[in-house]
Amino acid sequence: MSTYEHGYLIVGCLMLVALVVASTPLLLAACLRPRKPSAIKQATYECGIESKGDSWIQFKAQYYLYALAFVIFDLETIFLIPCAVALNQVGFFAFLEMTVFVGVLLLGLVWEWSKGVLEWR
Amino acid sequence: MLVWTFWISFLGSAAVALLPSHWKSEVRWLALLFAALGLALGLWGWGAYDVEVGGYQLGNGEGVPWIPELGVRFRLGADGFSLPLVILTGVIGVTGVLYSWNIEERVNQFFALYLLLLGGVYGVFLSVDLFLLVVFYEIAIVPKYFLIAIWGSTRKEYGAMKLVLYSFAGGALVLLGLAGIAFAADPAARSFDLERLAATNFSSGFQAWAFPAFFLGFGILAGLWPFHTWAPTGHVAAPTAASMLLAGVVMKLGSYGCLRVAIGLFPGALGATVLGVPGFWRWTITVLAAMNILYGAMVALVQRDFKFVIGYSSVSHMGFVLLGLVTLNLWGLSGALLQMFSHGIVAGLLFAVVGRLVYDRTHTRELDELGGLGRAAPFTASVFIIGGLASMGLPGMSGFFAELLVLIGSWKAFAWVLIPVGIGMIVTVVYTLRTIHLAFFGAAPLVGGDWRGLPPITLPEKAASCFLAAILFLVGLYPTVLLSMMDRASQQFLDRVKQTVPVHLARP
Amino acid sequence: MNLSDLLPLLRFLAPEILLSALALGALLGEAALSRLLGVEKRQNLLGWLALLGLGACLVILGDQAARGETLALGRGAFVASPFNALLKTAATLAVMASVTMGLRAPFVRHVGENYALVLFSLLGMFFLLSAESLLMIFVALELTSLPLYALAASQKGARRSIEGGLKYLLFGGLSAAFLLFGISYVYGMSGQGSLAGLRDWLVAQRTAGGPGFLFLTGVCLMIVGLGFKIAAAPFHLWAPDAYEGAPLPAAAILASASKLAGIVVAARLLLGAFLPVAGNVLGSPLSWHAGWSPAVAALAVASLTVGNLAALAQRNAKRFMAYSSVAHAGNVLVAFLALDASGRPAALAAPAIAYYAVIYALTNAGVFAAIHALAWGARGDDFADFRGAARRAPFPAFFLLIFLLSLAGVPPMAGFFGKLFLFMAALQADATHWGLAWLVAYALAMNVVALGYYLRFARVLWVEPAEDLRPISTPLELRVALVALALLVLGLGVFPSSCLAAFRTMGGVLLLRG
C-alpha cells in the first residue's frame, strides 16, 4: 500500500470515529429518556412561532429562471477577468475565443428576452 | 445459368408482392410462371451437367469476392448432390403453386413469401461457399413463420414459432461452427469455399467439436430424433403448399447440410474416439437414425389426425437419409441421396392429398370422422394410394430403390441396425394401410354422411397430382435418370473422404 | 496561436461549428418567429432548415472521410479522423430520422427549443466521438445527455413522459457521478488525462508494480458509469421507463445515436486506454485473469439474460425496444472481451464493434420511425394498438418488419452480419483454445430467444386481425426516411465489407495517438 493510499486509510479511520462519537450519545439518549409525546412537542419548530399550514408549498418557477440567468452572468465575469488581465500574454486568439463565448451568452439573453422570461408575471 | 433459379425466385417474390392484392388470378399466374421458370432451369441443368466430369459445374466459376476481410466469396454451382435437390425444389415449387390455387386471402403476400422461401432453398443448394450457404439457410427461416402463422390451421402460431425457433437454434449451432472454421485454418488462407475447406485437414481437436455442432445444427432441420418434434407440429399447422415445401424440401436442406458440411468437411470426426468410444459420433448418429425410423413409424401408427400420420412418416423416412449418410459407402450414400429426392416427392404428394384434396373439402382430418372417401372421391383415393405405396417402398416406385440401397449400405456398415430398421419398415406398411383403410375404405361415418357433394377436384390439382405421381413412377422404373449423377458424386466424395477416414470404419 | 494556424483547423472542426450555429440558429429562429408564425408553420420551417443543415453536415463528414486526413488537438481533446467521421455520419443520419419524425409531432409547443436540444445533443455526440481525453469525454457526455433528459420529458402533457424523463435524469446524474468519481481516481493515480497517455502509463506500470488498487477502483467506477450509458444490465433500470415515457422522436435518439456514442466511448476507454489492465475471461473461471474483463463479462451475461428474457414479457412497443436495447448491449460487450491470453485484442474486435454500433443505430432509428408512422393512427403504442397494422399501413409495417428482422439477426439485413462479426471477433481472440466459446455459445442461444420476441412483435403487425380497418396515411418525408434507412440497413448487409473494410483500415487501433 502506497503512502497515498495510507492517506485514505486515515480518512476512513476518522470517519469511523466520527460515526461512533456522534451516534453514541444519541443512542444513549434514546435509551434513557422518558417518552411523553404531546401535540406541541411533535410540531415543527419554526423560530418559536406557531407553525401554519403544510410545509410542501410551491415556489414560483420564475424565481429559478431569474436565479439561473443571474448565476450565468455572474460566472461569466470569472472567465472574463483573468482573460482581460492577461490579454497581453494570451493574445488575439484568446480575445477571439472570449468574443465567441460572450456572443453565445448574449444570444442566450436575446432568446430569454424574446421568450418573455425576463417579465415578472 | 442454373444460378438464376434463386434470383428468379427472389425477383418473383418482389414482383408478386408489388401486385395489388385483389388481382388474384394475375398473382397466381405470375407465381406459377416464376416457379416454372425455376423448374425449367433445374431441368436444363440436369441436361447440361456433365456426369463424367463430376464436381461443381454450371455455376459462376471461381465466384467473386464478397467479404474479402473474411475470405468469403460469392460462389455458386451444382454437383451430383445438389442438382437432384434443385430439381426437387423446382417440382415441389410448381406443384405447390398449383395446389395453392384456392388461396383467396392476401394472395400476393402468400406467393411472395412462398417464392422467397423457394429462393432461399435454391440458394442453399447452389452455394459453394459455406458462408453463403448459411446466409441462404437463415433467409429461408423467416418466411416459413409467416406462411404458417397466417395461412395455417391447427395451433398454427404455436407450430410456426416452434418450427422457426428450432430452425434458428440449429442455425445458431451452425454459426458457431462457421465462426470456428474462420479461425481454424491459418489466417492467410482463410476461406469458406467448400471445395477448399474439404481439402483442408482440420485438427482432430477442432473436428471433435465442429462436427457435432454442424451435424446437430443441420440435423435439427432434417428431423433428427429427438430434435424432430418441430416437424410434425409444423407440418400439420402449415398450409398445404408450405407443408409440401417443408417436408419435401426444407428437411432435405438439413440432411444436405449434414452431408455437405458436417460429413464433407469433418469426416475424421466420424471415426474419432470420444468418451473412450471409437467412432462415437458414427455410432450415435446410427442409433439416432434408427430411432427416427422406428419411433416415427410407431408414432404414426397411433395418430388420429390424418396429417399427423404423414408428419410422423416424414420423420421416419428422414431416418433412412441420415442412416445412409453415415454408412460412408457407395450404396448407403447414393441411397440416401435418392431417398432425399424420393421422399421429397412422396411427402409433397401425401401432404397435398391430405391438406388440399381431403381437408379443404371435408373440413376434418380426424381419421374417425373420415371413411368411405374412396367412393366419393376416387381420384383422391387413387393418388393417396400411389403415394402411400411409394412411401412403403413398393418395387416400381421411387422409394423402393432408395430404401433398398440404404439397407444394403447399412448391412455392409453395421448389420445389427437392420433389426430396428426392419421393424420400422413393417410398421410403415401397417400404418400406411391402416390410414388408407380408415380414410378411404371403411364405412362412411354416421355424422358426415357418405361424402356426396364434395367439391370436385379442379384442373390444377389434377395436373399437379398426376405430375408428382408420374415422377414417382419414372424414378421408380428408371432410377438411373438421377442415380448416375448421384453415384458419380458419391464416388468422388468417398474417394476423398477415404483418405482421411480409416478404412476399418466400414465396420465400427 | 495565430489566426493563420487556425484556419486549416476549421476544416476539421467544420461539422461541429456548423452544428453549433444550427442549434443557436434554431433558438434565435424561434425567438424571431414565435410571434409571426403559428406552431405548425414554425415546426415545418425550422425542421426543414435543421434537416438541410444536417444534410450539409453529412456532406462535410463525407468529405472528411474521403480525404482520409487526421488531426489531433491538445492531448486527445479533439481528434478528427475518417473513422470518427464515419461514426458521426451514422449518428447524424439517426438524428435526421428523429427530426423527420418530429416535423409533425403534435405535442411540441417550444418548437425551436426542441430542435435546438436535438442539435445540441448531436453536437455532444460529435465531441464524444472525437474525444480521446478523460475530461473531454466527460464534458461531451454531459452535453449529450442534458438535452436528452429534457427531450425525454418534453411531452409535458403526459404523466409518463415526465416520469420517464425524471427517472432518466436521476439515473443519468448518478451515472455521471460514478463516471466522474472514477475519472478522478484514474487521473489522480496516473496523472494522465489523455487516453493514449493512460495506456502508456499503464504499460510502464507493468514493470513498476502495477497501477495500484485505487486506479482499478476508478476503472470499475467508470465501467458502472458507462454501463448506465449503454443500458447494460444491471444498470439498465432507467431504460424501460425512459423509452416508454419519452416521445417517439426522443426515444429514437436515445436508442440509436446516443447508444452509438456510448458504445464507441466505452470501446475507446476499455479497449484503448485500459487495455493493459484488461485481464481475460478465457476458458473456465479458474483460468481467468483479474482486470476489467471479468466485470464486463458479468455485464454481458447479465444484459443478454435480462434483456432477452424480459423482452419476451413486454406488451408495450417502446418498453420492448428498451429491453431489446439491453440485449444488444450484451451482444456488443461480447466483442469487448475479444482479448487473447497476453491481452492483445482480436484484429476484428474494433471494426466489428464500430460496424455493429453503426448498423444498430441505423436500424433502431428505423424501428422508431416505423413505430412512429404506425402510431399515427393508433391509440397508443402498446402491442394491442398495432394489431393488424399491416392491413392499415402496409408501407411502414413492411419496413418495421425489415428493421425488426435486422435486429433479430436475419440475413441479408445488416444485423446478421453485425452479430456475426462480433461473435467471430470473440472467437478470433483465442482461436487456438476457443477460450471465449462459452460466451459466444451463450450469446447465440440468447439470440434464438431474441428471434422469438421480434417475431412476436411482427406477428402482432402481420398475422393478427385488425379491429379497425381505416387506413393510416404516412407522410411523404417519413416514407423517404424509412426507405433511406432500410436501404442502408440492407446495403450494409449485402455489402458488409464496404463498411467493415473502412473501419478496419481506419480503426484497427481505436486511439489515434497510440
Side-chain angles (χ1 to χ4, degrees), chain B residues 145-167:
Chain B
Y145 175 81
F146 291 101
L147 281 174
I148 299 175
I150 299 179
W151 292 276
S153 58
T154 324
R155 300 176 79 199
K156 53 185 182 179
E157 288 177 7
Y158 167 78
M161 190 57 99
K162 187 169 177 180
L163 180 147
V164 165
L165 289 189
Y166 267 74
S167 313

Side-chain angles (χ1 to χ4, degrees), chain C residues 230-233 259 263 300 303 324-334 356:
Chain C
I230 62 171
K259 187 114 168 169
I263 289 172
S303 305
S324 135
S325 154
V326 174
H328 283 274
N331 281 334
V332 80
L333 286 179
V334 169
Y356 191 78

Side-chain angles (χ1 to χ4, degrees), chain B residues 9-10 12-13 16 31 34-35 110-120:
Chain B
S9 303
F10 288 146
S13 171
V16 166
F34 280 106
F110 178 84
F111 284 114
L113 288 166
Y114 182 78
L115 287 169
L116 190 62
L117 173 56
L118 217 53

Side-chain angles (χ1 to χ4, degrees), chain B residues 66 69-70 106 157 183, chain C residues 391 424 459 462 494 497 501:
Chain B
W66 183 28
E69 290 77 22
L70 299 174
R106 301 163 83 174
E157 288 177 7
F183 307 112
Chain C
R391 297 186 164 222
M424 282 182 127
R459 190 196 72 179
W462 283 90
V494 175
S497 66

Side-chain angles (χ1 to χ4, degrees), chain B residues 1-12 34-35 37-42 44 58-60 74 76-77 86 118-119 122-123 126:
Chain B
M1 200 138 110
L2 193 59
V3 304
W4 280 93
T5 43
F6 69 85
W7 288 124
I8 282 177
S9 303
F10 288 146
L11 191 72
F34 280 106
L37 274 175
L39 175 60
L41 282 174
W44 170 84
L58 308 173
N60 57 351
F74 192 81
L76 303 152
V86 170
L118 217 53
Y122 276 129
L126 290 173

Side-chain angles (χ1 to χ4, degrees), chain B residues 66-67 69-70 105-106 131 135 138-139 145-146 149-150 157 161 164-165 168 172 175-176 179-180 182-183 206 209, chain C residues 391 401 411 416-417 420-421 424 427-428 431 434 440 444 447-448 451-452 455 458-459 462-463 494 496-497 501:
Chain B
W66 183 28
I67 312 176
E69 290 77 22
L70 299 174
E105 197 194 348
R106 301 163 83 174
F131 195 97
V135 167
E138 303 260 340
I139 287 178
Y145 175 81
F146 291 101
I150 299 179
E157 288 177 7
M161 190 57 99
V164 165
L165 289 189
F168 211 62
L175 279 181
L176 191 64
F183 307 112
F206 177 68
W209 79 261
Chain C
R391 297 186 164 222
L401 180 64
F416 170 79
F417 297 94
L420 192 63
F421 294 152
M424 282 182 127
L427 283 185
Q428 187 187 25
W434 313 107
V440 174
L444 279 170
N447 274 297
V448 175
L451 179 72
L455 279 182
R459 190 196 72 179
W462 283 90
V463 178
V494 175
S497 66

Side-chain angles (χ1 to χ4, degrees), chain C residues 37-131:
Chain C
L37 296 174
V39 171
E40 277 157 33
K41 281 197 174 148
R42 265 182 289 152
Q43 210 170 359
N44 254 317
L45 181 68
L46 292 176
W48 282 110
L49 284 176
L51 281 177
L52 204 66
L54 289 173
C57 262
L58 280 185
V59 174
I60 300 172
L61 288 169
D63 177 57
Q64 281 189 359
R67 278 169 188 267
E69 293 167 331
T70 54
L71 165 86
L73 288 178
R75 293 171 191 269
F78 184 90
V79 175
S81 70
F83 180 67
N84 292 344
L86 274 189
L87 294 172
K88 288 176 193 173
T89 309
T92 312
L93 284 169
V95 167
M96 280 174 87
S98 161
V99 173
T100 315
M101 290 158 71
L103 281 177
R104 294 169 200 243
F107 54 84
V108 177
R109 286 288 153 266
H110 301 280
V111 179
E113 289 79 352
N114 198 52
Y115 291 129
L117 287 172
V118 170
L119 295 170
F120 275 127
S121 182
L122 181 62
L123 182 64
M125 290 173 211
F126 274 20
F127 279 114
L128 198 54
L129 291 171
S130 273

